[in-house]
Amino acid sequence: MNFHDLGLIDPLLRALRAVEYTKPTPIQSQAIPQVLQGKDLIGCAQTGTGKTAAFALPLLQRLYESTRDRKRGVIRVLVLSPTRELAAQINDNFVAYGRYTGLKSQVIFGGVGQQPQIDALRRGTDVLVATPGRLLDLMNQGYIRLNTIEIFVLDEADRMLDMGFIHDVRKVISALPKARQTLLFSATMPEAIQELANSILINPVRVEVTPQATTVEKIAQSVFFVEKQNKRALLEHLLADAAVRRVLVFTRTKHGANKLAEQLDRAHIQAEAIHGNKSQTARERALANFKAGKTRVLVATDIAARGIDVDDVTHVINYDLPNEPESYVHRIGRTARAGASGIAYSFCDVEERAYLRDIEKLIRLRVPVAEQNPYASDIPMHVIQTHTKPNQGSPRGNNNQQRNGSYAQRGNNNNAKASPRPRRNNNFRRRENANA
Ligand code: AMP
């Protein structure tokens, strides 16, 4: 499959040759034909999968094919992005892919003077890439009207939620024409994003690039069953080992990340937190300290961690297990970068056992139970059964055997089926989202 087979036109194929893309990525092969047909789309993919081209290419083509007789320079595509870096990057992509189409793209974001942006908009643009705050500002001042928008893209929807932009996003959406094509991209699909998607998309096609389970195989994983109140003591115990040198610790909430970083710091373990409530500068500083080895432990939430690209992370520790199993793969993939092997520890309290089961289903491995756990909680019978190969008496068997025991092999194991279903009632999830 190449870009030509996806139905892209010549001016775009030329641009793709110029940027030296030879083969579409999975999300591009799936999304481009659908978007070309004018369909609404929900894309589960994170940055790095090629998702920007997956929407930018077909949208440029739709504009190109229908603008020939029309006045150019009226905003027809709006892309909303949570951060200025991402917005600038998306705009760069539109410019690069659209270089032979004559179509124009502009970007606006906060933190810089608005006048140059207003001047650029006056010259006219077909595509506008914007962060929500600056867009609303310029709309309120009468510089931008959205009544000519034909296609709307909401990028990194989960991050919008995490950064507290969701109300602004809704305001922008309410100013858009009802008849339009809408695309929504999000790496994870928390309930609030699913609800938003349901309210703004019409019969969407869903495209998903699931993390490669094979990438986790290089990582030595283990799970520590531990009571919630003992998690911190267990973490400090693990950190007493100097080999646990550069550590990324994940918590489920921003508050949890702050609290843990403070507690570690008080215990004389250099730690910093990184999450969506911190300013860009604070995040960059925390990351730089971590990279330079000044901070030994970086405590992060999933979304903040997405941009973290640090080599030589010796350990990833899931202080809280993620409720989205895909996040587990993204998290532990932060160690074992560039072919290195890595170590991932996961703490699992009684309320998180259902999450562990979901993770194991996704990765098709049973995460071995840690051999050395001074804070081990009592493991109830059903967990022992799900962590033991049939005919194997103890949950603490050898790792290789356990690694090979996939869920598929366990298909006829009645004990596994008899375990309680994941605890996922609405109240429980809503509480998590409020804290996320
Ligand atoms: P994105 O997920 O959109 O942030 O893209 C990640 C990176 O992959 C960007 O640097 C793109 O320029 C690059 N990229 C996107 N599509 C392709 C492709 N088909 N071939 C090679 N590189 C690509």
Side-chain angles (χ1 to χ4, degrees):
M1 174 79 71
N2 58 34
F3 285 107
H4 180 267
D5 300 331
L6 295 177
L8 293 176
I9 51 175
D10 216 45
L12 296 173
L13 296 175
R14 274 177 70 199
L16 287 170
R17 279 195 293 275
V19 291
E20 297 180 346
Y21 296 179
T22 48
K23 213 170 153 287
T25 66
I27 186 118
Q28 290 163 3
S29 320
Q30 290 177 58
I32 289 173
Q34 306 283 357
V35 179
L36 281 177
Q37 285 179 37
K39 292 195 178 142
D40 279 7
L41 180 134
I42 178 162
C44 305
Q46 60 173 343
T47 300
T49 54
K51 72 179 159 69
T52 315
F55 65 80
L57 290 165
L59 294 187
L60 284 163
Q61 179 153 336
R62 282 176 65 69
L63 292 187
Y64 184 80
E65 291 190 323
S66 66
T67 42
R68 285 180 204 152
D69 311 322
R70 293 178 57 161
K71 190 166 159 264
R72 291 254 168 106
V74 170
I75 306 172
R76 297 173 60 200
V77 170
L78 173 68
V79 183
L80 271 193
S81 158
T83 67
R84 57 177 159 172
E85 289 81 6
L86 258 175
Q89 214 170 294
I90 294 169
N91 183 58
D92 290 345
N93 286 358
F94 268 100
V95 171
Y97 307 146
R99 64 206 282 185
Y100 301 115
T101 62
L103 293 159
K104 284 169 60 177
S105 182
Q106 290 290 347
V107 62
I108 58 171
F109 46 70
V112 293
Q114 64 173 37
Q115 198 53 46
Q117 297 177 355
I118 295 166
D119 294 342
L121 287 172
R122 285 220 177 92
R123 293 192 288 274
T125 188
D126 303 279
V127 177
L128 179 65
V129 186
T131 54
R134 176 55 60 95
L135 177 62
L136 283 171
D137 263 4
L138 296 188
M139 283 165 65
N140 291 339
Q141 296 172 60
Y143 291 114
I144 297 178
R145 282 169 56 96
L146 300 183
N147 59 337
T148 54
I149 300 293
E150 295 165 30
I151 307 170
F152 170 59
V153 182
L154 180 60
D155 197 25
E156 305 246 335
D158 53 354
R159 207 155 154 196
M160 293 279 193
L161 183 72
D162 191 62
M163 294 175 78
F165 293 163
I166 210 74
H167 295 296
D168 285 352
V169 169
R170 284 193 181 277
K171 267 189 222 158
V172 170
I173 292 171
S174 67
L176 293 169
K178 293 269 175 301
R180 58 163 200 264
Q181 182 180 11
T182 305
L183 316 178
L184 181 149
F185 290 87
S186 197
T188 58
M189 285 292 160
E191 207 167 300
I193 296 303
Q194 196 57 56
E195 277 166 19
L196 179 73
N198 293 343
S199 70
I200 65 171
L201 299 165
I202 300 170
N203 294 331
V205 281
R206 195 180 168 100
V207 297
E208 206 162 331
V209 278
T210 44
Q212 287 290 310
T214 48
T215 60
V216 305
E217 277 165 8
K218 284 189 300 215
I219 302 167
Q221 302 163 62
S222 49
V223 59
F224 293 74
F225 289 105
V226 58
E227 283 175 26
K228 200 186 233 79
Q229 68 268 25
N230 290 333
K231 281 185 173 183
R232 186 158 58 89
L234 175 59
L235 179 62
E236 287 181 19
H237 167 77
L238 294 171
L239 290 170
D241 180 355
V244 186
R245 185 169 46 81
R246 186 170 298 185
V247 193
L248 199 48
V249 175
F250 285 92
T251 60
R252 199 175 303 135
T253 67
K254 297 179 240 186
H255 174 68
N258 278 340
K259 202 166 107 190
L260 184 60
E262 281 163 21
Q263 287 167 336
L264 290 176
D265 220 42
R266 252 179 267 135
H268 307 291
I269 299 166
Q270 313 103 316
E272 276 190 89
I274 186 165
H275 55 67
N277 276 5
K278 300 231 162 183
S279 70
Q280 187 83 25
T281 333
R283 281 194 266 176
E284 279 165 13
R285 197 174 42 233
L287 202 52
N289 287 342
F290 186 57
K291 274 187 183 166
K294 286 187 199 152
T295 310
R296 181 175 169 209
V297 181
L298 192 63
V299 188
T301 58
D302 284 306
I303 291 167
R306 203 157 317 136
I308 298 178
D309 186 7
V310 182
D311 285 338
D312 200 23
V313 170
T314 60
H315 293 71
V316 167
I317 299 182
N318 293 304
Y319 192 82
D320 299 316
L321 279 178
N323 55 341
E324 305 273 351
E326 291 81 6
S327 299
Y328 176 82
V329 180
H330 295 151
R331 286 178 179 190
I332 70 170
R334 304 283 161 189
T335 179
R337 293 186 79 89
S341 58
I343 297 171
Y345 297 145
S346 297
F347 295 179
C348 179
D349 68 31
V350 65
E351 290 189 357
E352 295 173 311
R353 285 182 182 146
Y355 299 157
L356 179 63
R357 286 169 48 84
D358 287 353
I359 289 163
E360 293 181 327
K361 261 187 218 160
L362 177 80
I363 63 174
R364 294 175 185 278
L365 292 173
R366 267 176 269 169
V367 182
V369 178
E371 309 252 349
Q372 305 290 329
N373 178 358
Y375 296 93
S377 58
D378 291 338
I379 306 172
M381 240 359 243
H382 73 266
V383 174
I384 293 179
Q385 282 154 357
T386 56
H387 275 81
T388 310
K389 279 180 76 167
N391 310 325
Q392 197 181 336
S394 147
R396 287 151 206 253
N398 111 8
N399 292 357
N400 289 334
Q401 271 187 330
Q402 289 184 342
R403 276 173 162 249
N404 293 334
S406 76
Y407 271 81
Q409 279 171 278
R410 255 195 12 219
N412 290 328
N413 183 347
N414 289 336
N415 289 336
K417 283 184 185 158
S419 333
R421 277 308 306 142
R423 194 185 148 187
R424 282 202 161 178
N425 66 47
N426 284 341
N427 287 341
F428 188 51
R429 298 208 79 180
R430 216 168 281 137
R431 202 174 67 229
E432 287 169 352
N433 288 335
N435 292 335

